[in-house]
Amino acid sequence: MAKANGTCSEGRDIDPTISLQNFRKVTTEDSSFVTYSNDRRNTPIPVFVLKDTTILVNVAAIHYNPKYWKDPRPE
């Protein structure tokens, strides 16, 4: 099992999308944030998250989003 964990860690260092497309986080308190619609109106959408909710973070979407990076393509 140690070799498998090491391999996954190395893969994440090279390319964060190799080992897991998503990683999980669990909220520690009630919270909220605002996201925006994709309907060209950019309408704000409030999102409420309760304590102990599991949230999946899509690593590929963060790393390769052209909204945040000039050249999001992997090398």
Side-chain angles (χ1 to χ4, degrees):
M1 192 63 162
K3 282 189 177 186
N5 287 336
T7 301
C8 288
S9 293
E10 287 294 319
R12 276 192 303 269
D13 291 343
I14 296 167
D15 182 351
T17 63
I18 287 174
S19 59
L20 297 173
Q21 286 293 323
N22 299 304
F23 66 88
R24 297 173 192 265
K25 292 289 183 182
V26 177
T27 58
T28 58
E29 59 187 36
D30 291 348
S31 187
S32 65
F33 63 92
V34 175
T35 188
Y36 296 90
S37 66
N38 197 14
D39 63 1
R40 298 182 190 252
R41 287 185 243 149
N42 229 12
T43 307
I45 303 169
V47 178
F48 301 98
V49 183
L50 299 175
K51 180 181 176 183
D52 296 324
T53 299
T54 299
I55 297 175
L56 296 177
V57 178
N58 186 320
V59 177
I62 294 169
H63 285 278
Y64 301 124
N65 188 333
K67 180 178 177 181
Y68 302 108
W69 303 100
K70 290 179 186 174
D71 186 8
R73 294 172 295 159
E75 295 178 359

